[in-house]
Amino acid sequence: MLNFQLSSQQQKLQKKAREFSLKEILPVAWYYDEIDETPLPVLKKAYEAGLINGDIPKKYGGKGWGLIEAVVITEEFAAACPGLATSIFDNSLGMEPLALSKNEALKKKYFAKIQDDFKLICFATSEPTMGSDVAGIRCKAERDGDDYILNGTKYWITNGGIADSMSIFATVDPDSQHEGICAFLVERDWPGVSIGRRIPKLGQRGSNTVGINLKDVRVPKENVMAPPGEGFVLAMQTFARTRPAIGAFAVGTARSAMEFATDYAKKRRAFGTKIANFQAIQHKIAEMYQKVETSRLLVWKAAWEADNNMDPTISASIAKFYSTETALEVANEALQIFGGYGYTKMFPIEKLLRDARLYRIYEGTSEVQRYIVSGYAMNAYQPVMPPLEDLPIHREKNPAEMEDKDAATWRCRICGYVHYGDDPPDECPYCFFPKSAFKKV
Ligand SMILES: Cc1cc2nc3c(=O)[nH]c(=O)nc-3n(C[C@H](O)[C@H](O)[C@H](O)COP(=O)(O)OP(=O)(O)OC[C@H]3O[C@@H](n4cnc5c(N)ncnc54)[C@H](O)[C@@H]3O)c2cc1C
């Protein structure tokens, strides 16, 4: 049965995340944006409040939350600060390949570590010369006995500078594309791991983003998450499960922009009245609200599919590119409602706009999501309608009233003309194509 109601458990979680966001994240969001730093104490408080790592499966001693829980709490975090939300959610991203991997011993070991103590884990597919094209990974994994030796640089890694461990994707052969990709769980203090300077960014400055260099890093066989040939699929499966949360970031960000703009519109006066009384402003608010609501529906649907053992890949991509693009539109229109003040750092909108800009880029750009969805729509999707050439369009005769119901129907494949009779005409009377252009339908 279709149901959009959160369970009482999920509502409690939403309330808890909302209270945490208002009390712990919102008051410090602008300060950490200004100083371009990730507040570890806030991440630690989220851990202590039980608001991160909830997705560790029950089998390994975790809470076993589903993606619905993840998107519900992520929306709340992002509503207070998109950058901190990215850092808080990053443990889920870092742990997802581990959760999906077949290495049971590794799961037992690291899930316990991450759960029992405040430990951060990051996720690394991207490199300085590659982001969208995951099959183009160049970071090299070389076999040495049972171990692997890693050499290369991962780039853009969220929480890379503060994480204790990292899910690293590499390749045994850069020329073999998908087939060479493998994945490893690497600890930050292993010899050969170095962390680059914090990358200066437009927005989401409360989240740490760095490059990670791996120089002759020895990974024991126990830490292989995916052997060569299985890493690419593991990365794609990870994204299918984490993209709904990126959508939830966008929903939270857009929701705040809408709320702030509505509040402002109800107070700001122009031409002798509140600007909320102008239809132009009301329409903007209606569209903002519509975008927040539609985005949330798509995000929840993708999360629901994942929680119900369906493949969420397509729904996750749709949710990701729809909600991230609408979030940017909402933040932009919110800024317009604020007029000049929207452009200042005294009000919250400019930060939300800067922060929202990232959503269209990380975890697969909008272009990549369109590529995934169009591939599905054009190939795997099963249409209900017959192919055009089999579609008789009876413009000139009502088939129900035709005298000779057995008369064959011919359709010109070029211009669509429908002819009735035992044989097709020698020539189409509309486009003049010969008989061979006709197909019996
Ligand atoms: C702040 C931040 C945090 C990040 N965090 C992480 C992280 O934690 N872990 C991680 O692994 N990565 C992370 N990333 C990297 C992010 O996932 C990549 O930036 C993203 O996937 C795009 O890759 P790229 O930047 O190399 O762009 P490119 O892949 O070089 O793409 C450049 C442009 O070309 C377009 N393009 C590429 N291929 C196609 C195509 N086939 N069709 C149409 N257009 C195409 C892209 O859409 C884009 O517009 C982060 C990035 C940022 C900015």
Side-chain angles (χ1 to χ4, degrees):
M1 197 172 79
L2 205 56
N3 184 356
F4 295 105
Q5 181 93 39
L6 294 176
S7 69
S8 62
Q9 204 68 13
Q10 288 163 339
Q11 286 177 33
K12 270 189 210 149
L13 198 55
Q14 184 184 47
K15 185 164 177 278
K16 185 174 172 181
R18 189 168 287 180
E19 284 168 2
F20 181 87
S21 299
L22 291 172
K23 184 165 170 259
E24 306 291 352
I25 300 180
L26 194 66
V28 298
W30 283 269
Y31 173 71
Y32 285 103
D33 174 68
E34 193 65 31
I35 64 167
D36 198 0
E37 222 177 272
T38 306
L40 264 179
V42 177
L43 268 60
K44 186 148 192 249
K45 276 184 189 165
Y47 165 78
E48 284 160 357
L51 287 168
I52 52 175
N53 303 336
D55 37 7
I56 294 180
K58 281 192 177 146
K59 190 176 164 192
Y60 306 100
K63 295 191 183 96
W65 289 347
L67 285 202
I68 290 284
E69 283 79 4
V71 298
V72 164
I73 64 172
T74 301
E75 177 181 329
E76 299 308 321
F77 295 150
C81 179
L84 287 189
T86 292
S87 264
I88 292 174
F89 173 75
D90 202 55
N91 258 27
S92 294
L93 173 61
M95 283 191 297
E96 194 61 53
L98 181 61
L100 293 168
S101 111
K102 297 174 194 148
N103 188 336
E104 285 298 316
L106 194 69
K107 291 187 201 205
K108 272 192 200 131
K109 181 175 172 189
Y110 282 91
F111 280 141
K113 269 190 180 193
I114 293 168
Q115 191 150 247
D116 296 347
D117 202 357
F118 173 57
K119 296 277 180 208
L120 298 177
I121 174 165
C122 62
F123 172 93
T125 49
S126 304
E127 299 181 355
T129 56
M130 180 292 301
S132 304
D133 179 14
V134 175
I137 281 176
R138 305 206 73 77
C139 178
K140 196 80 201 291
E142 249 173 305
R143 229 25 228 257
D144 187 35
D146 283 342
D147 299 348
Y148 282 88
I149 308 292
L150 300 185
N151 275 294
T153 298
K154 308 309 282 185
Y155 204 64
W156 303 115
I157 309 308
T158 300
N159 284 0
I162 51 180
D164 306 277
S165 52
M166 33 196 86
S167 291
I168 300 276
F169 288 75
T171 180
V172 283
D173 173 13
D175 295 329
S176 70
Q177 294 277 297
H178 310 79
E179 272 125 54
I181 312 286
C182 35
F184 307 92
L185 208 149
V186 172
E187 293 192 20
R188 179 198 152 116
D189 54 12
W190 283 357
V193 177
S194 2
I195 309 298
R197 285 192 193 177
R198 218 171 45 238
I199 302 169
K201 309 193 293 284
L202 170 75
Q204 300 223 4
R205 290 152 56 93
S207 76
N208 172 276
T209 320
V210 295
I212 297 173
N213 182 255
L214 306 157
K215 194 165 190 314
D216 295 328
V217 176
R218 179 171 291 275
V219 184
K221 73 170 188 310
E222 291 76 21
N223 280 46
V224 176
M225 283 197 292
E230 293 181 20
F232 184 80
V233 173
L234 184 66
M236 294 305 122
Q237 287 173 336
T238 298
F239 291 138
R241 290 184 55 81
T242 53
R243 279 178 187 148
I246 308 300
F249 288 145
V251 175
T253 308
R255 192 187 81 195
S256 287
M258 173 194 75
E259 289 177 3
F260 290 136
T262 307
D263 184 42
Y264 187 81
K266 289 203 266 186
K267 291 169 184 156
R268 177 74 176 177
R269 296 182 73 86
F271 298 94
T273 185
K274 292 180 176 143
I275 62 167
N277 292 327
F278 299 132
Q279 199 178 40
I281 301 292
Q282 291 164 359
H283 284 186
K284 283 189 199 305
I285 290 169
E287 283 169 21
M288 288 177 178
Y289 191 72
Q290 174 214 34
K291 286 170 183 170
V292 170
E293 288 285 303
T294 49
S295 297
R296 188 185 293 113
L297 286 176
L298 290 173
V299 166
W300 282 17
K301 177 172 185 275
W304 177 87
E305 284 184 7
D307 287 350
N308 284 279
N309 301 319
M310 298 170 183
D311 177 0
T313 304
I314 301 303
S315 296
S317 282
I318 295 171
K320 204 243 170 201
F321 83 78
Y322 181 84
S323 56
T324 58
E325 291 175 11
T326 54
L328 200 59
E329 290 161 14
V330 170
N332 201 23
E333 285 299 71
L335 193 147
Q336 194 69 14
I337 290 179
F338 272 79
Y341 287 116
Y343 201 64
T344 71
K345 285 186 176 279
M346 312 299 181
F347 283 94
I349 304 297
E350 66 81 34
K351 174 176 176 299
L352 291 178
L353 184 63
R354 283 189 285 114
D355 290 349
R357 187 61 186 85
L358 178 59
Y359 298 144
R360 285 185 55 197
I361 298 171
Y362 64 6
E363 295 229 16
T365 61
S366 279
E367 290 77 10
V368 167
Q369 306 313 318
R370 281 180 169 80
Y371 180 71
I372 293 169
V373 175
S374 64
Y376 173 79
M378 290 196 288
N379 301 305
Y381 174 76
Q382 293 298 313
V384 176
M385 288 295 139
L388 277 173
E389 58 182 26
D390 293 341
L391 181 72
I393 297 182
H394 301 282
R395 259 189 336 105
E396 291 165 16
K397 287 186 186 176
N398 179 350
E401 291 166 3
M402 268 164 57
E403 280 164 21
D404 181 5
K405 291 209 168 40
D406 296 331
T409 305
W410 303 86
R411 181 169 165 83
C412 173
R413 281 177 297 196
I414 306 301
C415 73
Y417 165 62
V418 174
H419 170 86
Y420 303 95
D422 292 340
D423 296 307
D426 288 339
E427 187 181 75
C428 176
Y430 283 88
C431 70
F432 300 98
F433 263 71
K435 205 177 197 168
S436 56
F438 281 82
K439 188 180 175 203
K440 200 171 186 179
V441 291

